[in-house]
Amino acid sequence: ADMRHLPYFCRGEVVKGFGRGSKELGIPTANFSEQVVESFPSDISTGIYYGWACVGHGDVHKMVLSIGWNPFYKNIKKSVETHIIHTFKEDFYGEILSIVIIGYIRPEKNFDSLEALISAIQEDIEEAKRQLDLPEHLKLKEDNFFHLPEGKTVNSH
Ligand code: ADP
Ligand code: MG
């Protein structure tokens, strides 16, 4: 995969997704709007990534992210979905999600069973946790991107 766009900083509103039931699997994914997805580099590799995420002015948490093909648009548009490794009390549709994508875990893959899918995602989460504990990745958690007041920030840098 092509890592030249990383780390990639991005922020945007959380919108309703395709409703593939990720929440039922215990792995909810906060979807970015089509507009935010279009602002991504068009040659960024699809697959699973890790990084940091923050909802509104909340705490910064570890995350895993998938960049994939969006079935809603007949797989001609990408979707970008963030699973934050944290238990939230409530949904946060309409809130601003800020993320930094740091590293690549694996390409997209089809699974033979739901069990296989879930265990792959659980492995992705464990890999993300390990990677993000490394000093070079931990320091991005403290990046000004997550802490600057609203209005003094740019969409990406
Ligand atoms: P949708 O298809 O609308 O994206 P999901 O089943 O993927 O539905 O659930 C995503 C929603 O769940 C998010 O938009 C957010 O409001 C909520 N949510 C709650 N906890 C988390 C979490 N840890 N990570 C991501 N989203 C979460
Ligand atoms: Mg989702």
Side-chain angles (χ1 to χ4, degrees), residues 62-82:
K62 293 174 176 177
M63 64 79 161
V64 288
L65 171 127
S66 97
I67 301 179
W69 295 104
N70 193 332
F72 188 77
Y73 294 103
K74 301 193 164 81
N75 299 325
I76 56 163
K77 285 182 190 239
K78 281 174 179 160
S79 74
V80 177
E81 308 188 12
T82 305

Side-chain angles (χ1 to χ4, degrees), residues 34 54 67 69 76-77 83 123 130 134 144 146 154:
E34 193 188 324
C54 144
I67 301 179
W69 295 104
I76 56 163
K77 285 182 190 239
H83 171 67
E123 280 170 36
R130 277 193 298 272
L134 300 174
N144 276 339
F146 291 117
V154 290

Side-chain angles (χ1 to χ4, degrees), residues 1-152:
D2 191 345
M3 295 300 102
R4 129 185 85 128
H5 298 295
L6 305 185
Y8 188 77
F9 293 81
C10 163
R11 117 157 88 234
E13 194 181 336
V14 176
V15 301
K16 264 272 172 209
F18 195 54
R20 276 173 291 187
S22 29
K23 204 177 282 169
E24 285 69 38
L25 305 182
I27 314 154
T29 60
N31 293 49
F32 277 126
S33 68
E34 193 188 324
Q35 196 188 356
V36 171
V37 177
E38 304 253 287
S39 73
F40 269 60
S42 58
D43 59 348
I44 199 164
S45 302
T46 60
I48 311 300
Y49 294 80
Y50 60 85
W52 298 105
C54 144
V55 177
H57 295 291
D59 294 336
V60 181
H61 300 287
K62 293 174 176 177
M63 64 79 161
V64 288
L65 171 127
S66 97
I67 301 179
W69 295 104
N70 193 332
F72 188 77
Y73 294 103
K74 301 193 164 81
N75 299 325
I76 56 163
K77 285 182 190 239
K78 281 174 179 160
S79 74
V80 177
E81 308 188 12
T82 305
H83 171 67
I84 304 173
I85 306 173
H86 176 77
T87 305
F88 289 87
K89 289 201 187 73
E90 290 174 338
D91 286 351
F92 44 84
Y93 290 109
E95 299 245 27
I96 300 299
L97 174 65
S98 301
I99 64 168
V100 53
I101 308 171
I102 301 176
Y104 189 76
I105 300 179
R106 62 169 174 88
E108 281 192 285
K109 216 177 124 188
N110 287 317
F111 293 92
D112 298 333
S113 68
L114 207 56
E115 289 70 32
L117 169 67
I118 294 172
S119 72
I121 297 170
Q122 251 128 33
E123 280 170 36
D124 297 336
I125 290 172
E126 291 312 311
E127 174 68 5
K129 286 184 185 167
R130 277 193 298 272
Q131 288 289 338
L132 290 162
D133 279 335
L134 300 174
E136 76 239 55
H137 296 147
L138 261 174
K139 71 175 199 276
L140 276 164
K141 185 184 184 183
E142 312 302 330
D143 195 277
N144 276 339
F145 176 73
F146 291 117
H147 302 296
L148 286 174
E150 209 74 24
K152 296 231 168 114

